[in-house]
Amino acid sequence: MAVSSGEDRNADQDDPERRQSARQRAGEEGLLFDGQPVKVPADLGYKGATACAAVGITYRQLDYWARTGLVEPTVRAAHGSGTQRLYGFRDILVLKVVKRLLDTGVSLQQIRIAVQHLRDRGVNHLAQITLMSDGVSVYECTSPDEVIDLLQGGQGVFGIALGRVWQEVEGSLADLPGEPAESSESPLEDHHADELARRRRARRTG
C-alpha cells in the first residue's frame, strides 16, 4: 500500500542528535502541524482555468486527471457540451498535492493510491496530515514524531504538509474568481463569494 503510517519505519533508531536535526529540518519545512486552516464553504466552486492557475498545471493535465478519475470535480461535473466543471477547494488541494508528487518523481500509480487515501479523509483531517515520500512510496504522518522518524532515517525523503498546502491554495484563490455551486446565481450567493474573497485578502495583508 503506497500510503502507510511512518511510525514504525525507524522504531529502532533513537539517536538524540539525529532526532534534533530532523526536528529542526521538519520545523523549517513547516511539517510539524502548527496551524489551523480556515473552514471553506462547500457551495463555492472554481472553473477549470482557475484551478489550473491555482495549482500550476495545464488544462490538458486537469482534463486528463478528471477523465481518468484521478481528481474529479466534486462541486459540479461536466455534463455534455455547454457545461463546465466546478472544482471545490478540497479538489484543488488534492490537485496541488498530485502536482508536487509528480514533480518529485512519484509514479502515477502510487499517486492514485495516495489520492484514494485522501478521499477517505474529511477536509478537517486533511490539514493535519503530512505526506512523505522517498520517491517510490508515499507515507502518511499524523504526528510530529512520525515526521521526525522518517526524516532522520530516510535518504532523500521529502515531505508535503497539507496544512501548508491548504494555506498556499487559499492564498492563490483569494485573487481568483469563484462560482456558486448552483448554475443559477443569486445576489446572496454572489455576496457570499465576494465576502469570502475579501476575508482571504484581509488575512494575507494583515
Side-chain angles (χ1 to χ4, degrees):
M1 183 174 181
V3 176
S4 59
S5 170
E7 61 185 353
D8 58 357
R9 272 184 49 126
N10 299 290
D12 58 340
Q13 300 180 20
D14 195 20
D15 185 328
E17 194 170 311
R18 291 184 69 190
R19 286 186 67 81
Q20 179 58 34
S21 174
R23 180 175 289 277
Q24 182 177 350
R25 179 182 165 195
E28 291 171 353
E29 295 181 7
L31 305 178
L32 293 182
F33 314 94
D34 57 353
Q36 287 293 328
V38 176
K39 185 177 181 181
V40 294
D43 60 347
L44 192 63
Y46 301 89
K47 293 180 180 179
T50 301
C52 289
V55 176
I57 58 176
T58 66
Y59 191 83
R60 175 177 289 186
Q61 286 176 297
L62 183 75
D63 182 61
Y64 177 73
W65 294 348
R67 287 188 291 104
T68 59
L70 178 60
V71 184
E72 298 176 282
T74 58
V75 175
R76 188 174 70 209
H79 298 293
S81 61
T83 61
Q84 290 186 315
R85 301 182 183 108
L86 283 184
Y87 289 82
F89 182 93
R90 183 176 182 272
D91 303 329
I92 297 176
L93 179 72
V94 175
L95 285 168
K96 188 93 170 179
V97 171
V98 170
K99 171 69 161 53
R100 290 200 174 176
L101 290 173
L102 279 175
D103 287 347
T104 51
V106 179
S107 72
L108 200 57
Q109 181 181 5
Q110 295 292 340
I111 291 173
R112 286 187 183 278
I113 298 174
V115 167
Q116 183 58 53
H117 180 76
L118 292 179
R119 281 198 186 109
D120 296 336
R121 298 289 195 142
V123 172
N124 293 332
H125 290 106
L126 284 181
Q128 299 302 315
I129 292 175
T130 286
L131 294 179
M132 303 194 75
S133 176
D134 52 12
V136 179
S137 297
V138 182
Y139 303 92
E140 174 197 345
C141 298
T142 55
S143 76
D145 284 341
E146 290 180 333
V147 171
I148 293 165
D149 284 344
L150 280 169
L151 283 175
Q152 75 163 352
Q155 296 296 320
V157 172
F158 65 90
I160 301 173
L162 268 68
R164 173 170 285 190
V165 177
W166 184 297
Q167 293 171 351
E168 291 175 5
V169 170
E170 187 179 32
S172 298
L173 292 176
D175 299 319
L176 295 170
E179 304 284 335
E182 297 299 326
S183 56
S184 57
E185 301 180 4
S186 71
L188 180 61
E189 288 170 326
D190 288 342
H191 173 75
H192 177 71
D194 292 342
E195 177 64 17
L196 178 66
R198 185 193 66 78
R199 280 184 290 173
R200 286 173 175 166
R201 284 193 292 270
R203 280 197 300 275
R204 293 177 66 195
T205 56

